[in-house]
Amino acid sequence: MAARHSTRPRRIEDALAQLVDNLTHRFSYVAAEDELSDDEYEALAVRQQGNLEHSWRILDAYTDTNNDPASPNGGTGLGITRRGSLAGGENINNASDLIKRKLLRQNASPDKAMRFSNLYSRLLTQPVLSQKWAILYLLYRLSSDDNEEGLEEEGGSRSPAVEPGNLQNILFKGQRARQGMGENSDEEGPAISSSASQLPARLERKVSQRRREREIRNTEAEQELDLAREHQRRRAISDAVARDIQLEEQRNVQPEPVPENQQKVARPTENGLLRELPFNMQGLSSSNLEFSSSSTLKLPPTLPIPLISLVNALAEPCLLYKGLSAFVESSSGGLLNQSLRAALSNELRSYLGLVATLEGEIRRALAAPGDSTDTPSVAKTGVTLKRCVVWTRDATMALRLMSLIVEEAQNKKGGQLISMIHGFSTSHGDPFVCALAEKLLAHVTRPFYNMLRLWIYDGELSDPYKEFFVVAPEMSPSTDPRRIATSVWEDKYKLDDDLVPSIITQDFAKKVFLIGKSLNFIRYGCGDSGWVEAYSKETSKELRYGDTASLETSIDEAYKITMARLIYLMDEKFKLFDHLRALKKYLLLGQGDFIALLMESLASNLDRPANSQYRHTLTAQLEHAIRASNAQYDSPDVLRRLDARMLELSHGEIGWDCFTLEYKIDAPVDVVITPWGSTQYLKVFNFLWRVKRVEFALGSTWRRCMTGARGVLRSVDDKVGPDWKRARCAIAEMIHFVCQLQYYILFEVIEASWDQLQASISKPGCTLDDLIEAHTKYLNSITHKGLLGSSSSSKSSSSNKHQDESFLTQLHQILKIMLAYKDAVDGLYSFSVAEFTRRQELSAKIETRTAQGRWGVTERDLLSSRRHKNSVSSVSTPNVGNSGDDIGTPSSLMGHDLSADDHMLASLRVRLRDLSAEFKSRLNILLGDLAYQPDVDMRFLGVVMNFNDVYEPVRRRRTATSSRDRERLRRKAVEGNAQKEMKREKRDSNGAENASGSGNGP
């Protein structure tokens, strides 16, 4: 029969088609084609067509109930429409009454009728089924035993003519039922059976040819002959059908192998490829396309040439999906990798939705009936491989991008993964790729923003897979022990620039790092976890990708709040700035009265050997200096941190060389004043303490000289007057040098650096890192400039860098010379006092002898003095000569030395002259080196020390080859200065003799 145009919904038509297919007898036409002749095969198809026609006439009879006496309304013309609704006002109980009468008529017992009544009452309570009468009436009609009578009543034909379209639907119904491709549109109506499909081309041609032949033969004899043949062959067909059923069951259990010659001949058609395409696009192998590996799809060798390019294009999404599905199902990697898998899984679900839609279109196209003489039905409905390529073009591009992202993400994690995906969204010119990358970023960055939120609002690092750009490094010993920072601030967290994603800038990352580190430090280092929790509850909010303006605003606010809170705690709670001022006052000698009292009280103790110093003595003198100076008004917390101790002892050292002050620093202040910083403070203090000691020693000697010049030294001025004149000049030069050095260090270096530190820490928005940086710069400045940290000639030649002496070494040598000169001056003073004492004794002796009427001094005294002098020259101890009453005059003593220690005066003169010359030579070298320094302040120090050009700065040669050459140069300079001193002494002695001669002449 021709194609039916049904008004029922497609799902009802499909259900009815499946029901008809299951109720009618099924034959294997593939097996019958091999065993039967063409006429027998055609008769079998006609018989099956008749069965289907009979079934569908029963279903379609409800549209016309005029000739149906079994209708609930008889022949009144009312019935059920194609959609199963009542055509008139039929009572729903009519079908049930018909079934009850039939059950009572066929069974002697009314049990089945009663059971039906119970089932019918339960059916009425089901709200799902709306056409209950139609269902019951259909079942009643199908259960009727007298099918021929029903057909005659309906006026239909028992065996209608077989049409080519119906033959196609009949012969391949089994294949379509197994593949589930029997969907139809509501407009075209359903097929006769869900298992109906197309007839093979050979049978189609034979059936059409034989039909045309039967149309030509119109005689009655030929028709009767055909009917007789048909009657004989039906019996053979019935036996063939039974064998076919067994054959089908055996094939279901174990399919028979296809011969090789048939495999070579068979070619896949476009319809077959279309049927298998949805499965291939889901990564599943099919009979035509087989996945030999996850990256290889095997094409059939007999594929027609026009289809090769199309199948290659469709194979790309199949392979890409298979690889992506394998990546999504894996579980390795961190949180961002897992988030990437989740995002790709969502995209693959969308892809599977496209595949489902495409499968529906293919099924609909394959299920649509078509004319056997025309092109296939899929061409009419518009579903071809070429159109599938067009429809999957965007999906293929998306899969291609996702596959590229998966390939690039193999060795990346955290911010590197985000940067890689973000690069597609910013640097790619295709809007589709940019949009897809942005969509993936919205999912991938969720774990990153969760970690970011915990870091900037709670100060906690939740990064189990080390994907965040803030890392907690493992503690490991450093090569430089001075640089080991024990603070939580410096070592607990580090910023990894490689993991900073490109969606944020480096400045933004540094702010984020400082915010979280500050909150963590406030919580654990400062012990203020309550404020951190309150701050987190008040300001915490969800962060997400794309909201850049809101994120930057949140970061800026959090940065200001946390930095202000941290600086407040360090200033108010832990008194950081008070400790910095205390270090300046006590370790950098800013508290002058305290340092002077401490040095005076410790001078007598520190002159003794270092191993005889006791800690309790030092502590007592320190407390005395604090109570007697303005230091007593400082905070008790500051004073209790001061401590006096001795450094490591060495053999032969005295207390001055080992004494030091210490200022104890506790956490969390040690974040700013690190152990390295404390070491720098001690280094500067030890140098300043040594300079202060030299100043103290020279000052004491100068005061003694000035005091003795008005008394003791005036009495011996005739003998040691020129020596004291030269000594006072040298001491004045040394005091000038020490004062200028102290002024430079204390004012030009320390005070200037302190002003810079104050300006840096007073800036609005100052952070703890700014404090640490400013303090480190402050220490570097005072150690570099205060200790004259540049090496002389180090910038001129790198080869002799280690051979040249540093400025600090030169200063230490000059200070040692000054202390040695001070000791020599003290020896000269002792000699002067001894000479004064001898003269006083001699004067008293002369007066006594004069009072007795004798000469004050005799020849015997002179001879005794000479013998005593000779004995002293051979023996280091002087002897007292015997006095006699020899004749002599007191004036005869004026031309001879009366002292027994004249050799000591000569050695003192030589020592003073050598030390003075060496001091000047070293000072000239130092001034010469300072004059060529790049630092302005260091050049200014040289100018201040030689403001009147009394010194002659000497610049050492840059190509000095050895220390022996430098020593030779130094000796030459010392000899030259010594010769100048000797000439000056001669001039002074000549002047003194002339003065004495002119005084005795008259």
Side-chain angles (χ1 to χ4, degrees), residues 968-985:
R968 188 181 299 112
L969 292 174
R970 189 182 66 80
R971 286 180 180 179
K972 287 183 179 180
V974 170
E975 290 176 358
N977 292 329
Q979 291 177 0
K980 291 180 181 179
E981 291 291 336
M982 292 177 64
K983 292 180 180 179
R984 188 182 302 172
E985 288 179 2

Side-chain angles (χ1 to χ4, degrees), residues 100-113:
K100 283 181 182 180
R101 293 194 200 104
K102 182 175 181 179
L103 292 174
L104 291 175
R105 186 169 59 251
Q106 293 179 353
N107 299 282
S109 174
D111 295 338
K112 292 187 177 181

Side-chain angles (χ1 to χ4, degrees), residues 22 311 340 465 481-482 494 540 556 564 592 612 758 782 829 856 868 940 963 986:
N22 292 328
V311 175
L340 175 61
Y465 297 99
R482 297 175 300 174
K494 297 292 183 181
S540 180
D556 291 339
S612 64
Q758 291 288 96
I782 62 177
Y829 186 82
H868 174 67
F940 178 73
S963 59
K986 288 181 180 180

Side-chain angles (χ1 to χ4, degrees), residues 309-565:
S309 61
L310 298 177
V311 175
N312 283 329
L314 292 172
E316 183 181 3
C318 303
L319 293 171
L320 293 176
Y321 175 81
K322 192 173 182 64
L324 289 173
S325 61
F327 174 77
V328 169
E329 292 173 359
S330 61
S331 59
S332 60
L335 295 179
L336 267 72
N337 290 87
Q338 297 175 16
S339 180
L340 175 61
R341 289 188 179 88
L344 295 180
S345 179
N346 292 335
E347 295 300 323
L348 292 182
R349 288 194 194 99
S350 302
Y351 169 76
L352 291 178
L354 173 65
V355 173
T357 305
L358 187 62
E359 182 181 7
E361 293 293 332
I362 292 174
R363 284 187 177 183
R364 187 179 299 110
L366 294 176
D371 191 0
S372 61
T373 58
D374 299 333
T375 57
S377 60
V378 291
K380 292 183 177 181
T381 55
V383 180
T384 59
L385 289 177
K386 194 169 186 178
R387 293 191 177 182
C388 290
V389 171
V390 176
W391 293 340
T392 59
R393 182 175 298 169
D394 291 343
T396 303
M397 187 179 295
L399 292 174
R400 192 181 303 158
L401 175 61
M402 290 188 289
S403 179
L404 181 60
I405 290 174
V406 169
E407 183 179 354
E408 293 289 337
Q410 294 299 325
N411 298 323
K412 290 181 173 58
K413 65 175 184 177
Q416 299 173 349
L417 181 60
I418 296 176
S419 301
M420 183 265 294
I421 302 176
H422 186 251
F424 286 102
S425 64
T426 56
S427 61
H428 205 281
D430 193 343
F432 177 80
V433 175
C434 296
L436 181 60
E438 290 287 329
K439 187 178 180 181
L440 291 177
L441 277 177
H443 292 276
V444 174
T445 55
R446 287 178 183 175
F448 173 79
Y449 280 105
N450 290 335
M451 289 185 279
L452 180 63
R453 182 180 58 82
L454 287 175
W455 178 250
I456 65 175
Y457 292 124
D458 295 329
E460 297 291 342
L461 182 61
S462 177
D463 187 16
Y465 297 99
K466 299 185 181 302
E467 298 175 294
F468 200 52
F469 58 84
V470 178
V471 296
E474 298 180 358
M475 298 298 294
S476 60
S478 177
T479 55
D480 188 1
R482 297 175 300 174
R483 296 292 181 178
I484 296 178
T486 57
S487 63
V488 178
W489 180 265
E490 290 292 338
D491 292 339
K492 191 172 183 180
Y493 297 109
K494 297 292 183 181
L495 179 64
D496 191 353
D497 294 332
D498 295 335
L499 293 179
V500 176
S502 58
I503 59 177
I504 61 177
T505 61
Q506 286 291 337
D507 295 337
F508 187 86
K510 290 180 180 179
K511 279 188 177 182
V512 170
F513 174 67
L514 281 178
I515 291 170
K517 190 168 69 169
S518 301
L519 291 174
N520 189 275
F521 183 74
I522 291 173
R523 182 192 294 269
Y524 297 105
C526 302
D528 196 5
S529 58
W531 181 86
V532 176
E533 292 175 359
Y535 164 77
S536 177
K537 291 180 181 178
E538 181 181 356
T539 60
S540 180
K541 60 181 180 180
E542 184 180 2
L543 304 177
R544 60 183 181 274
Y545 174 74
D547 195 2
T548 307
S550 176
L551 181 61
E552 290 181 355
T553 303
S554 302
I555 293 299
D556 291 339
E557 293 178 357
Y559 181 79
K560 293 178 183 178
I561 294 174
T562 52
M563 294 299 107
R565 178 65 182 181

Side-chain angles (χ1 to χ4, degrees), residues 1 70 101 106 120 132 138 220 232 235 272 399 451 514 607 712 833 881:
M1 66 179 181
R101 293 194 200 104
Q106 293 179 353
Y120 177 70
K132 299 181 179 63
L138 173 63
E220 292 292 332
Q232 293 175 359
R235 294 179 181 178
L399 292 174
M451 289 185 279
L514 281 178
D607 287 333
V712 177
V833 172

